[in-house]
Amino acid sequence: MNILLLGSGGREHALAWKLVQSHLLSHLYIAPGNAGTSSLGTNLDISVNDFQAIKSAVLKYNINMVIVGPEDPLVAGIHDFFLANPGIRSIPVIGPVRNAAMLEGSKDFAKKFMILHRIPTAKYMTFDLSTFEQGVAYLKTLQPPYVLKADGLAAGKGVIICKTFGEAVDEFNAMLLNARFAEASRKVVVEEFLHGTELSVFILTDGISYKILPEAKDYKKIGEGDTGLNTGGMGSVSPVPFADRSFMDKVESRIIQRTISGLKTDNIDYRGFIFFGLMNVHGDPYLIEYNCRLGDPETESIIPRLQNDLVKLLLATTQQRLGDETITVDPRYAATVMMVSAGYPGSYEKGKILTGEALITDTLVFHSGTRINSETRQTETNGGRVLALTSLGNSLHDALSKSYENADKIDFEGKYFRRDIGFDLE
Ligand code: AMP
Ligand code: GLY
């Protein structure tokens, strides 16, 4: 079968790497892809949000399945677009329809869902311009730090954590009165701060049953020791040592099963990946957020551990036969180190020539922001996050050492990476 994969990050390169290992795949197309994906299939110069162009490509290349990497097209309704178009209605799309993707697309919707279905989460209230004063009064009842969240998608920047009450009120003001995140902050979720350690848990569901994929821990801050600005993610590890059987049993019974049965009760037909952003609070899991997709860079750590044929799993998902599948996972540790451009997550330059990939040994290189220069044919940087290096090892230390050894072999002007991924787990 022919598959079209939408996206251009390290997540999509890792998915592409896994998909091409399946004998069920004839040809892989990636839109728009990056320099890494171009060696595994055909990159199409189409934006993930250009649904008409995606439809044309699906017809032109006889695509039999579409896999959606990032959240934007899902929240914008790409799956619904397929269902509403007779020519492509029968082509399965991996990723939820719009009202199901609202679990990520609206924080207020997600919190209401969690409360309704008794899923442990931080206590909260949602406010808009008309309830601004009540919002300030609610903030007064909370202990610092304060957590403010723009309701809608804000390119991963919509969560603000404020140390003082004054800062929180200023931020609340900026979001609601000054539309800091435009339409996304028309409503603001104010919630209690949870103290604990985060982890990311993933499932694949066909709307009836679900399969738990390997879990991972993501390192979001730009600086070592988890300092500085938030990024898309600077590295990840899988498995997560504290996510032992007893903890994962709680995650499954209190969070995953209640989510799946809640979706059924609410008549929300969810088919695709669900990413549970969790906080481990003294051994009890709390749900911070849902995402309607896989994580990046978590995918770069979890996909190399998954031993199943991914195409077969996804086919079973589209045919609601996922219950027949058994997930098998490589017991080794995977460690991913993300190499980024100087200046990221602020402004950075693109077009820096990448060298050293041919020297890499015993480590997977997943491209993120890279492209092939059309004139020189050299690989160059094309984003903030540039390359993800993933290694497997019998211990977390072994896996990390391999990734770091290889990170030193890669070069591009201004390269930066955190040297302490996994520091809190070893
Ligand atoms: P999000 O954009 O929803 O992934 O949130 C960004 C980050 O904010 C999360 O990964 C957490 O580190 C942090 N965060 C969000 N909500 C809370 C909370 N209630 N308590 C503590 N940290 C939080
Ligand atoms: N790594 C976090 C995310 O993909 O949202």
Side-chain angles (χ1 to χ4, degrees), residues 155-211:
K157 298 191 168 61
V159 175
I160 310 280
I161 308 219
C162 304
K163 288 204 181 76
T164 66
F165 178 71
E167 259 177 64
V169 174
D170 287 350
E171 190 54 51
F172 191 53
N173 198 63
M175 282 189 179
L176 281 180
L177 298 177
N178 301 332
R180 166 154 180 195
F181 297 107
E183 184 59 20
S185 62
R186 211 175 49 76
K187 283 198 270 183
V188 174
V189 168
V190 176
E191 73 180 34
E192 167 197 31
F193 184 88
L194 295 174
H195 294 270
T197 312
E198 279 182 71
L199 81 157
S200 308
V201 169
F202 303 92
I203 64 164
L204 179 61
T205 178
D206 60 6
I208 299 171
S209 58
Y210 63 86
K211 295 290 164 189

Side-chain angles (χ1 to χ4, degrees), residues 218 220 232 275 291 293-298:
D218 168 25
K220 285 213 174 75
F275 167 163
N291 294 307
R293 54 176 171 84
L294 290 176
D296 192 348
E298 289 97 326

